[in-house]
Structure formats: structure tokens, C-alpha cells
PDB file of all heavy atoms in Angstrom:
ATOM      1  N   HIS L 303       7.097 -10.873  10.033  1.00 96.00           N
ATOM      2  CA  HIS L 303       7.835 -11.359  11.154  1.00 96.00           C
ATOM      3  C   HIS L 303       8.031 -12.832  11.083  1.00 96.00           C
ATOM      4  O   HIS L 303       7.827 -13.575  12.169  1.00 96.00           O
ATOM      5  CB  HIS L 303       7.263 -10.894  12.507  1.00 96.00           C
ATOM      6  CG  HIS L 303       7.144  -9.435  12.632  1.00 96.00           C
ATOM      7  ND1 HIS L 303       8.224  -8.669  12.679  1.00 96.00           N
ATOM      8  CD2 HIS L 303       6.075  -8.617  12.763  1.00 96.00           C
ATOM      9  CE1 HIS L 303       7.907  -7.360  12.789  1.00 96.00           C
ATOM     10  NE2 HIS L 303       6.527  -7.351  12.827  1.00 96.00           N
ATOM     11  N   GLY L 304       8.286 -13.429   9.959  1.00 95.00           N
ATOM     12  CA  GLY L 304       8.553 -14.809   9.835  1.00 95.00           C
ATOM     13  C   GLY L 304       7.386 -15.694   9.854  1.00 95.00           C
ATOM     14  O   GLY L 304       7.480 -16.939   9.866  1.00 95.00           O
ATOM     15  N   GLN L 305       6.119 -15.143   9.809  1.00 95.00           N
ATOM     16  CA  GLN L 305       4.918 -15.914   9.862  1.00 95.00           C
ATOM     17  C   GLN L 305       4.109 -15.631   8.575  1.00 95.00           C
ATOM     18  O   GLN L 305       4.024 -14.483   8.199  1.00 95.00           O
ATOM     19  CB  GLN L 305       4.051 -15.533  11.081  1.00 95.00           C
ATOM     20  CG  GLN L 305       4.745 -15.776  12.420  1.00 95.00           C
ATOM     21  CD  GLN L 305       4.878 -17.277  12.655  1.00 95.00           C
ATOM     22  OE1 GLN L 305       4.097 -18.115  12.274  1.00 95.00           O
ATOM     23  NE2 GLN L 305       5.999 -17.634  13.399  1.00 95.00           N
ATOM     24  N   LEU L 306       3.492 -16.709   7.969  1.00 97.00           N
ATOM     25  CA  LEU L 306       2.659 -16.506   6.812  1.00 97.00           C
ATOM     26  C   LEU L 306       1.441 -15.696   7.234  1.00 97.00           C
ATOM     27  O   LEU L 306       0.827 -15.943   8.260  1.00 97.00           O
ATOM     28  CB  LEU L 306       2.245 -17.848   6.209  1.00 97.00           C
ATOM     29  CG  LEU L 306       3.279 -18.544   5.369  1.00 97.00           C
ATOM     30  CD1 LEU L 306       2.753 -19.939   4.960  1.00 97.00           C
ATOM     31  CD2 LEU L 306       3.537 -17.798   4.088  1.00 97.00           C
ATOM     32  N   LEU L 307       1.101 -14.754   6.364  1.00 96.00           N
ATOM     33  CA  LEU L 307      -0.093 -13.964   6.569  1.00 96.00           C
ATOM     34  C   LEU L 307      -1.222 -14.708   5.818  1.00 96.00           C
ATOM     35  O   LEU L 307      -1.158 -15.001   4.619  1.00 96.00           O
ATOM     36  CB  LEU L 307       0.072 -12.558   5.957  1.00 96.00           C
ATOM     37  CG  LEU L 307      -1.097 -11.582   6.252  1.00 96.00           C
ATOM     38  CD1 LEU L 307      -1.204 -11.295   7.759  1.00 96.00           C
ATOM     39  CD2 LEU L 307      -0.779 -10.276   5.484  1.00 96.00           C
ATOM     40  N   LEU L 308      -2.296 -15.119   6.647  1.00 92.00           N
ATOM     41  CA  LEU L 308      -3.402 -15.912   6.051  1.00 92.00           C
ATOM     42  C   LEU L 308      -4.691 -15.127   6.256  1.00 92.00           C
ATOM     43  O   LEU L 308      -4.959 -14.693   7.422  1.00 92.00           O
ATOM     44  CB  LEU L 308      -3.442 -17.241   6.665  1.00 92.00           C
ATOM     45  CG  LEU L 308      -2.162 -18.138   6.592  1.00 92.00           C
ATOM     46  CD1 LEU L 308      -2.276 -19.421   7.388  1.00 92.00           C
ATOM     47  CD2 LEU L 308      -1.913 -18.445   5.159  1.00 92.00           C
ATOM     48  N   GLY L 309      -5.472 -15.027   5.252  1.00 92.00           N
ATOM     49  CA  GLY L 309      -6.781 -14.381   5.436  1.00 92.00           C
ATOM     50  C   GLY L 309      -7.900 -15.291   5.299  1.00 92.00           C
ATOM     51  O   GLY L 309      -7.769 -16.537   5.174  1.00 92.00           O
ATOM     52  N   PRO L 310      -9.154 -14.742   5.460  1.00 92.00           N
ATOM     53  CA  PRO L 310     -10.295 -15.599   5.637  1.00 92.00           C
ATOM     54  C   PRO L 310     -10.728 -16.323   4.312  1.00 92.00           C
ATOM     55  O   PRO L 310     -11.415 -17.384   4.365  1.00 92.00           O
ATOM     56  CB  PRO L 310     -11.394 -14.615   6.028  1.00 92.00           C
ATOM     57  CG  PRO L 310     -10.968 -13.308   5.503  1.00 92.00           C
ATOM     58  CD  PRO L 310      -9.444 -13.361   5.594  1.00 92.00           C
ATOM     59  N   ASN L 311     -10.254 -15.849   3.208  1.00 91.00           N
ATOM     60  CA  ASN L 311     -10.531 -16.497   1.873  1.00 91.00           C
ATOM     61  C   ASN L 311      -9.473 -17.349   1.389  1.00 91.00           C
ATOM     62  O   ASN L 311      -9.532 -17.946   0.370  1.00 91.00           O
ATOM     63  CB  ASN L 311     -10.820 -15.398   0.879  1.00 91.00           C
ATOM     64  CG  ASN L 311     -11.993 -14.485   1.248  1.00 91.00           C
ATOM     65  OD1 ASN L 311     -13.035 -14.942   1.574  1.00 91.00           O
ATOM     66  ND2 ASN L 311     -11.676 -13.151   1.369  1.00 91.00           N
ATOM     67  N   ALA L 312      -8.314 -17.472   2.151  1.00 89.00           N
ATOM     68  CA  ALA L 312      -7.139 -18.285   1.761  1.00 89.00           C
ATOM     69  C   ALA L 312      -6.564 -17.911   0.382  1.00 89.00           C
ATOM     70  O   ALA L 312      -6.229 -18.792  -0.396  1.00 89.00           O
ATOM     71  CB  ALA L 312      -7.490 -19.699   1.845  1.00 89.00           C
ATOM     72  N   ILE L 313      -6.541 -16.591   0.143  1.00 91.00           N
ATOM     73  CA  ILE L 313      -5.934 -16.130  -1.214  1.00 91.00           C
ATOM     74  C   ILE L 313      -4.940 -15.053  -1.041  1.00 91.00           C
ATOM     75  O   ILE L 313      -4.615 -14.289  -1.939  1.00 91.00           O
ATOM     76  CB  ILE L 313      -7.111 -15.619  -2.154  1.00 91.00           C
ATOM     77  CG1 ILE L 313      -7.930 -14.536  -1.504  1.00 91.00           C
ATOM     78  CG2 ILE L 313      -7.953 -16.776  -2.637  1.00 91.00           C
ATOM     79  CD1 ILE L 313      -8.856 -13.916  -2.452  1.00 91.00           C
ATOM     80  N   THR L 314      -4.318 -15.010   0.145  1.00 94.00           N
ATOM     81  CA  THR L 314      -3.375 -13.948   0.442  1.00 94.00           C
ATOM     82  C   THR L 314      -2.251 -13.999  -0.562  1.00 94.00           C
ATOM     83  O   THR L 314      -1.690 -15.141  -0.799  1.00 94.00           O
ATOM     84  CB  THR L 314      -2.804 -14.119   1.835  1.00 94.00           C
ATOM     85  OG1 THR L 314      -3.885 -14.058   2.774  1.00 94.00           O
ATOM     86  CG2 THR L 314      -1.769 -12.985   2.173  1.00 94.00           C
ATOM     87  N   GLY L 315      -1.937 -12.890  -1.185  1.00 95.00           N
ATOM     88  CA  GLY L 315      -0.743 -12.825  -2.086  1.00 95.00           C
ATOM     89  C   GLY L 315      -1.116 -13.146  -3.569  1.00 95.00           C
ATOM     90  O   GLY L 315      -0.245 -13.068  -4.419  1.00 95.00           O
ATOM     91  N   GLU L 316      -2.354 -13.423  -3.845  1.00 93.00           N
ATOM     92  CA  GLU L 316      -2.773 -13.803  -5.220  1.00 93.00           C
ATOM     93  C   GLU L 316      -2.789 -12.502  -6.111  1.00 93.00           C
ATOM     94  O   GLU L 316      -3.787 -12.152  -6.603  1.00 93.00           O
ATOM     95  CB  GLU L 316      -4.061 -14.512  -5.256  1.00 93.00           C
ATOM     96  CG  GLU L 316      -3.982 -15.966  -4.762  1.00 93.00           C
ATOM     97  CD  GLU L 316      -3.302 -16.839  -5.744  1.00 93.00           C
ATOM     98  OE1 GLU L 316      -2.832 -16.485  -6.775  1.00 93.00           O
ATOM     99  OE2 GLU L 316      -3.202 -18.047  -5.367  1.00 93.00           O
ATOM    100  N   TRP L 317      -1.685 -11.897  -6.274  1.00 95.00           N
ATOM    101  CA  TRP L 317      -1.525 -10.677  -7.069  1.00 95.00           C
ATOM    102  C   TRP L 317      -1.769 -10.951  -8.569  1.00 95.00           C
ATOM    103  O   TRP L 317      -2.184 -10.068  -9.291  1.00 95.00           O
ATOM    104  CB  TRP L 317      -0.214  -9.971  -6.797  1.00 95.00           C
ATOM    105  CG  TRP L 317       0.920 -10.677  -7.450  1.00 95.00           C
ATOM    106  CD1 TRP L 317       1.333 -11.993  -7.418  1.00 95.00           C
ATOM    107  CD2 TRP L 317       1.875 -10.060  -8.358  1.00 95.00           C
ATOM    108  NE1 TRP L 317       2.386 -12.223  -8.148  1.00 95.00           N
ATOM    109  CE2 TRP L 317       2.817 -11.023  -8.728  1.00 95.00           C
ATOM    110  CE3 TRP L 317       2.159  -8.763  -8.834  1.00 95.00           C
ATOM    111  CZ2 TRP L 317       3.942 -10.824  -9.558  1.00 95.00           C
ATOM    112  CZ3 TRP L 317       3.188  -8.526  -9.614  1.00 95.00           C
ATOM    113  CH2 TRP L 317       4.017  -9.546 -10.013  1.00 95.00           C
ATOM    114  N   GLY L 318      -1.517 -12.142  -9.039  1.00 95.00           N
ATOM    115  CA  GLY L 318      -1.494 -12.438 -10.456  1.00 95.00           C
ATOM    116  C   GLY L 318      -2.901 -12.384 -11.051  1.00 95.00           C
ATOM    117  O   GLY L 318      -2.993 -12.258 -12.403  1.00 95.00           O
ATOM    118  N   HIS L 319      -3.996 -12.346 -10.250  1.00 94.00           N
ATOM    119  CA  HIS L 319      -5.272 -12.320 -10.861  1.00 94.00           C
ATOM    120  C   HIS L 319      -5.941 -10.941 -10.559  1.00 94.00           C
ATOM    121  O   HIS L 319      -7.144 -10.857 -10.258  1.00 94.00           O
ATOM    122  CB  HIS L 319      -6.122 -13.490 -10.411  1.00 94.00           C
ATOM    123  CG  HIS L 319      -5.562 -14.737 -11.026  1.00 94.00           C
ATOM    124  ND1 HIS L 319      -5.834 -15.129 -12.368  1.00 94.00           N
ATOM    125  CD2 HIS L 319      -4.797 -15.682 -10.578  1.00 94.00           C
ATOM    126  CE1 HIS L 319      -5.175 -16.205 -12.660  1.00 94.00           C
ATOM    127  NE2 HIS L 319      -4.576 -16.616 -11.586  1.00 94.00           N
ATOM    128  N   ASN L 320      -5.095  -9.911 -10.499  1.00 96.00           N
ATOM    129  CA  ASN L 320      -5.551  -8.532 -10.584  1.00 96.00           C
ATOM    130  C   ASN L 320      -5.112  -7.966 -11.898  1.00 96.00           C
ATOM    131  O   ASN L 320      -4.238  -8.487 -12.552  1.00 96.00           O
ATOM    132  CB  ASN L 320      -4.844  -7.746  -9.443  1.00 96.00           C
ATOM    133  CG  ASN L 320      -5.355  -8.142  -8.043  1.00 96.00           C
ATOM    134  OD1 ASN L 320      -6.470  -7.880  -7.663  1.00 96.00           O
ATOM    135  ND2 ASN L 320      -4.525  -8.867  -7.306  1.00 96.00           N
ATOM    136  N   PRO L 321      -5.726  -6.934 -12.338  1.00 97.00           N
ATOM    137  CA  PRO L 321      -5.402  -6.330 -13.660  1.00 97.00           C
ATOM    138  C   PRO L 321      -4.017  -5.677 -13.583  1.00 97.00           C
ATOM    139  O   PRO L 321      -3.557  -5.179 -12.522  1.00 97.00           O
ATOM    140  CB  PRO L 321      -6.473  -5.291 -13.915  1.00 97.00           C
ATOM    141  CG  PRO L 321      -7.135  -5.004 -12.567  1.00 97.00           C
ATOM    142  CD  PRO L 321      -6.900  -6.236 -11.748  1.00 97.00           C
ATOM    143  N   LEU L 322      -3.348  -5.606 -14.668  1.00 98.00           N
ATOM    144  CA  LEU L 322      -2.035  -4.971 -14.807  1.00 98.00           C
ATOM    145  C   LEU L 322      -2.202  -3.518 -14.518  1.00 98.00           C
ATOM    146  O   LEU L 322      -3.039  -2.818 -15.167  1.00 98.00           O
ATOM    147  CB  LEU L 322      -1.477  -5.112 -16.200  1.00 98.00           C
ATOM    148  CG  LEU L 322      -0.096  -4.596 -16.473  1.00 98.00           C
ATOM    149  CD1 LEU L 322       0.996  -5.416 -15.628  1.00 98.00           C
ATOM    150  CD2 LEU L 322       0.219  -4.557 -17.952  1.00 98.00           C
ATOM    151  N   PRO L 323      -1.485  -2.905 -13.587  1.00 98.00           N
ATOM    152  CA  PRO L 323      -1.743  -1.528 -13.200  1.00 98.00           C
ATOM    153  C   PRO L 323      -1.308  -0.544 -14.319  1.00 98.00           C
ATOM    154  O   PRO L 323      -0.354  -0.928 -15.116  1.00 98.00           O
ATOM    155  CB  PRO L 323      -0.798  -1.338 -11.964  1.00 98.00           C
ATOM    156  CG  PRO L 323      -0.564  -2.696 -11.475  1.00 98.00           C
ATOM    157  CD  PRO L 323      -0.613  -3.574 -12.620  1.00 98.00           C
ATOM    158  N   TRP L 324      -1.881   0.570 -14.339  1.00 98.00           N
ATOM    159  CA  TRP L 324      -1.575   1.683 -15.295  1.00 98.00           C
ATOM    160  C   TRP L 324      -1.367   1.116 -16.717  1.00 98.00           C
ATOM    161  O   TRP L 324      -0.378   1.255 -17.418  1.00 98.00           O
ATOM    162  CB  TRP L 324      -0.323   2.378 -14.898  1.00 98.00           C
ATOM    163  CG  TRP L 324      -0.390   2.986 -13.482  1.00 98.00           C
ATOM    164  CD1 TRP L 324      -1.077   4.130 -13.085  1.00 98.00           C
ATOM    165  CD2 TRP L 324       0.266   2.443 -12.327  1.00 98.00           C
ATOM    166  NE1 TRP L 324      -0.934   4.290 -11.752  1.00 98.00           N
ATOM    167  CE2 TRP L 324      -0.155   3.352 -11.265  1.00 98.00           C
ATOM    168  CE3 TRP L 324       1.052   1.357 -11.992  1.00 98.00           C
ATOM    169  CZ2 TRP L 324       0.219   3.088  -9.921  1.00 98.00           C
ATOM    170  CZ3 TRP L 324       1.411   1.036 -10.737  1.00 98.00           C
ATOM    171  CH2 TRP L 324       1.036   1.993  -9.667  1.00 98.00           C
ATOM    172  N   PRO L 325      -2.403   0.461 -17.295  1.00 97.00           N
ATOM    173  CA  PRO L 325      -2.327  -0.180 -18.570  1.00 97.00           C
ATOM    174  C   PRO L 325      -2.193   0.852 -19.680  1.00 97.00           C
ATOM    175  O   PRO L 325      -2.821   1.912 -19.703  1.00 97.00           O
ATOM    176  CB  PRO L 325      -3.623  -0.997 -18.703  1.00 97.00           C
ATOM    177  CG  PRO L 325      -4.616  -0.242 -17.847  1.00 97.00           C
ATOM    178  CD  PRO L 325      -3.826   0.308 -16.674  1.00 97.00           C
ATOM    179  N   ARG L 326      -1.381   0.550 -20.708  1.00 97.00           N
ATOM    180  CA  ARG L 326      -1.284   1.270 -21.905  1.00 97.00           C
ATOM    181  C   ARG L 326      -2.481   0.922 -22.889  1.00 97.00           C
ATOM    182  O   ARG L 326      -3.055  -0.168 -22.712  1.00 97.00           O
ATOM    183  CB  ARG L 326       0.018   1.005 -22.586  1.00 97.00           C
ATOM    184  CG  ARG L 326       1.253   0.851 -21.768  1.00 97.00           C
ATOM    185  CD  ARG L 326       1.613   2.123 -21.117  1.00 97.00           C
ATOM    186  NE  ARG L 326       2.963   1.963 -20.470  1.00 97.00           N
ATOM    187  CZ  ARG L 326       3.327   2.579 -19.396  1.00 97.00           C
ATOM    188  NH1 ARG L 326       2.393   3.350 -18.741  1.00 97.00           N
ATOM    189  NH2 ARG L 326       4.532   2.401 -18.889  1.00 97.00           N
ATOM    190  N   PRO L 327      -2.766   1.721 -23.782  1.00 97.00           N
ATOM    191  CA  PRO L 327      -3.919   1.409 -24.705  1.00 97.00           C
ATOM    192  C   PRO L 327      -3.771   0.137 -25.383  1.00 97.00           C
ATOM    193  O   PRO L 327      -4.716  -0.618 -25.535  1.00 97.00           O
ATOM    194  CB  PRO L 327      -3.838   2.635 -25.717  1.00 97.00           C
ATOM    195  CG  PRO L 327      -3.272   3.772 -24.956  1.00 97.00           C
ATOM    196  CD  PRO L 327      -2.265   3.159 -23.991  1.00 97.00           C
ATOM    197  N   GLU L 328      -2.482  -0.202 -25.839  1.00 95.00           N
ATOM    198  CA  GLU L 328      -2.231  -1.455 -26.501  1.00 95.00           C
ATOM    199  C   GLU L 328      -2.343  -2.648 -25.593  1.00 95.00           C
ATOM    200  O   GLU L 328      -2.310  -3.809 -26.047  1.00 95.00           O
ATOM    201  CB  GLU L 328      -0.876  -1.393 -27.232  1.00 95.00           C
ATOM    202  CG  GLU L 328       0.340  -1.353 -26.287  1.00 95.00           C
ATOM    203  CD  GLU L 328       0.761   0.042 -25.883  1.00 95.00           C
ATOM    204  OE1 GLU L 328      -0.093   1.043 -26.068  1.00 95.00           O
ATOM    205  OE2 GLU L 328       1.876   0.270 -25.364  1.00 95.00           O
ATOM    206  N   GLU L 329      -2.445  -2.424 -24.274  1.00 97.00           N
ATOM    207  CA  GLU L 329      -2.527  -3.557 -23.300  1.00 97.00           C
ATOM    208  C   GLU L 329      -3.933  -3.907 -22.950  1.00 97.00           C
ATOM    209  O   GLU L 329      -4.134  -4.789 -22.099  1.00 97.00           O
ATOM    210  CB  GLU L 329      -1.717  -3.251 -22.114  1.00 97.00           C
ATOM    211  CG  GLU L 329      -0.207  -3.217 -22.354  1.00 97.00           C
ATOM    212  CD  GLU L 329       0.620  -2.575 -21.177  1.00 97.00           C
ATOM    213  OE1 GLU L 329      -0.029  -1.920 -20.289  1.00 97.00           O
ATOM    214  OE2 GLU L 329       1.833  -2.807 -21.116  1.00 97.00           O
ATOM    215  N   LEU L 330      -4.863  -3.154 -23.512  1.00 97.00           N
ATOM    216  CA  LEU L 330      -6.327  -3.333 -23.197  1.00 97.00           C
ATOM    217  C   LEU L 330      -7.007  -4.019 -24.386  1.00 97.00           C
ATOM    218  O   LEU L 330      -6.776  -3.717 -25.543  1.00 97.00           O
ATOM    219  CB  LEU L 330      -6.980  -1.983 -22.944  1.00 97.00           C
ATOM    220  CG  LEU L 330      -6.465  -1.303 -21.633  1.00 97.00           C
ATOM    221  CD1 LEU L 330      -7.000   0.092 -21.553  1.00 97.00           C
ATOM    222  CD2 LEU L 330      -6.804  -2.076 -20.378  1.00 97.00           C
ATOM    223  N   PRO L 331      -7.950  -4.959 -24.108  1.00 97.00           N
ATOM    224  CA  PRO L 331      -8.388  -5.432 -22.802  1.00 97.00           C
ATOM    225  C   PRO L 331      -7.391  -6.397 -22.235  1.00 97.00           C
ATOM    226  O   PRO L 331      -7.626  -6.879 -21.073  1.00 97.00           O
ATOM    227  CB  PRO L 331      -9.707  -6.187 -23.144  1.00 97.00           C
ATOM    228  CG  PRO L 331      -9.506  -6.618 -24.604  1.00 97.00           C
ATOM    229  CD  PRO L 331      -8.675  -5.593 -25.231  1.00 97.00           C
ATOM    230  N   GLY L 332      -6.351  -6.788 -22.936  1.00 96.00           N
ATOM    231  CA  GLY L 332      -5.398  -7.787 -22.415  1.00 96.00           C
ATOM    232  C   GLY L 332      -5.748  -9.140 -22.816  1.00 96.00           C
ATOM    233  O   GLY L 332      -6.857  -9.512 -23.210  1.00 96.00           O
ATOM    234  N   PRO L 333      -4.757 -10.102 -22.710  1.00 96.00           N
ATOM    235  CA  PRO L 333      -4.953 -11.453 -23.123  1.00 96.00           C
ATOM    236  C   PRO L 333      -6.010 -12.158 -22.204  1.00 96.00           C
ATOM    237  O   PRO L 333      -6.175 -11.796 -21.042  1.00 96.00           O
ATOM    238  CB  PRO L 333      -3.587 -12.132 -22.967  1.00 96.00           C
ATOM    239  CG  PRO L 333      -2.575 -10.954 -22.942  1.00 96.00           C
ATOM    240  CD  PRO L 333      -3.309  -9.781 -22.367  1.00 96.00           C
TER     241      PRO L 333
END
């Protein structure tokens, strides 16, 4: 609703430091 969502750890939206979903064998362990 036009407002930033902020959590207690100040990391809301940091999707880039989660593992790639449904990885293929050749994507493991990953770079």
C-alpha cells in the first residue's frame, strides 16, 4: 500500500542471498 515493509533485522527483500530454488545437479553447490 505504498509503504516500505521493514522488519526487525532491516533485511526485508534480500532474496539474493537465498539459494537458487529447485537447483539442477549441475548448479550444485553453485558459485
Side-chain angles (χ1 to χ4, degrees):
H303 300 298
Q305 300 291 327
L306 281 173
L307 188 63
L308 303 174
N311 303 304
I313 56 170
T314 304
E316 287 289 1
W317 73 308
H319 292 283
N320 292 288
L322 183 70
W324 302 285
R326 319 293 191 214
E328 64 273 16
E329 294 168 339
L330 294 171

